[in-house]
Amino acid sequence: MSDPRLPSSPGFWRSPLRGPWFTSVLGLVLLAGITVLFVTGLVSYAAYNPDLSPVNDQTPGKGILGFYLFAWPTHPYWLYRVSQGVHVTLGITLIPVLLAKLWSVVPRLFALPPARSLAHALERLSLLLLVGGGLFEFTTGVLNVQLDYVFPGSFYPLHFYGAWVFFAAFVAHAVLKLPVALRNVRRAREAGHEGDAGQERGAGRAREAGRARGTGQARGDGAKVPGDGPVATAAGDGPVAPEEGLVAPRPDAPTVSRRGALWLVGGGSLLLFGTTVGRSFDGPLRRTALLAPHGWAEPGSGPGGFQINKTAAYAGIRDADTNAQAWRLTVAGRAGTVRLSRADLERLPLHSSALPIACVEGWSTSDQWWRGVRLRDLAALVGHDDPPDVLVESLQRHGAFRHAALRANQVADPRSLLALYVNGEDLTPDHGYPARVIVPAAPGVLNTKWVARMTFGDL
C-alpha cells in the first residue's frame, strides 16, 4: 500500500484540473511552438556561416550536428531580424505553457515502479531528457537574453547541444503521444464541452468510482480495490485507466474551470509577449519591452542614439588606438597589403545603405543610414575583382567575436559597407568609430566594430 503523503502515491495529487484533455491542449500548443523554435534556431545557426571559419563557430566535436544546407543570404536584408526576433519572442511567450504542461504531468514523474517494461523504461528516459532538456534550453535562453552570462562555459555550444538533446526527446515524445493528444481533444470536442462541462461531475465520478460496483471504494493511496474499474477523467471525456496517472482519484473541489486555467496560462503568455516584442522596434513600441534589456528607452539621442550591446569601454577600446594619428586599417589580399587612414578611406567612393542591427538576444533596431566604402571595393584594392571571403579583425581586446568571417556573397553585396558614418554623422565610439562593418541580414556580432584588419581570400 502506498503512503498518500508521498508524491509517488496517486492520492497525493488532488487538483481536479489535471487530466488528459488539459495536458493534450498544452502539448499541442508546445508541439507547434517548439517546432518553430527549433527551425528558427537552425536558421540562426546558419546565419553565422559556421563552416566558413572556426572563428564563427567554435562548437567542439559538433560532427554531423553542425550541418546546414545553404550559404547565408543577404536578401531580404531583414531576414535575421525577423527570424531571431521570432525565435526569442516565441520562446519567452511559451514559458507559461511549458510550466503549465510540466505541472499537468508532474504526477507521472514520481510514479512507481520507475519502469514496468523495456518500452516503459525508454519512455521514462525520453521524458527525463524532455523535461531536463526543456528546462535547460529555456533557462539558458532567458539568461542569454537578459545578458546574465552565468553559464559554466560559452552559451553557444551549451545551447547548441542542449537543443539537439531536447528536440530528439521532444520528437520521440511527440511520436508516442500525438495520437493520444489528438484523440483526447477530439473526444472533448465531440462531447461539446471542450473539457469544462462535466468537470465537476467528472470529479464527483472519480470520488465515487469505487462505490460504483459492490464493495469497491475510492482509495486515495492508489491501491487496487475490489470493484475498481476505469476512472472517469475530471474533464468528463471518457474513461481513463488509473495508471494513466493524470486524474486524481480523490480530487479536491474545483475552484476554477479548465478553460479558466487555460485562459490564465494564455494571459501569462500574452503578458510576456507584450513586454518583450517591443525590443524589435524603435519608438513607442520599444517602451513596452519592460522585462527585457534593450527595451524601454533608447540609450541616447541624436544620430548615434540607437541600441548597442558592447560599449567601447567594455571592449577595451582606447582613444589612443582610434585617433587619426594612430589608427590605420590594414587590408590584405592577393596583390599584397595596404594600410589606410580614415582620411584615405574618405577619399574612396562612398556609398549609403539603410540597414538594421539585429542581435542573437532577439533585439534589433529600425533601419539606420550607413555611409562608407563597399567591401567589394576594398577587395578590389588588393587584387580581388571577384570578391572572395574576408576575415575581419577588431581592436577589441577581450570578449567573443573579436574576429569574424564573411562569405563571398556577403562581401559582393553592394549594401555591404565598411561604414564611417551613421545617420549623417561620424560613428560614435560605441558604434564602432573609426570604422565598422555593416552587412545586410547578418547577425550583429558579424558586423564587426572598431575594425583593424581585413584579410580577403578563401577561408
Side-chain angles (χ1 to χ4, degrees), residues 211-252:
R211 304 189 186 99
R213 293 165 50 192
T215 59
Q217 287 191 332
R219 291 282 297 271
D221 59 7
K224 186 170 179 62
V225 181
D228 272 355
V231 180
T233 73
D237 55 3
V240 177
E243 57 266 22
E244 183 72 19
L246 293 179
V247 179
R250 292 193 305 170
D252 290 330

Side-chain angles (χ1 to χ4, degrees), residues 13-33:
W13 308 98
R14 303 295 296 274
S15 174
L17 294 178
R18 289 191 180 92
W21 180 83
F22 186 72
T23 297
S24 296
V25 171
L26 295 172
L28 291 174
V29 173
L30 288 175
L31 175 63

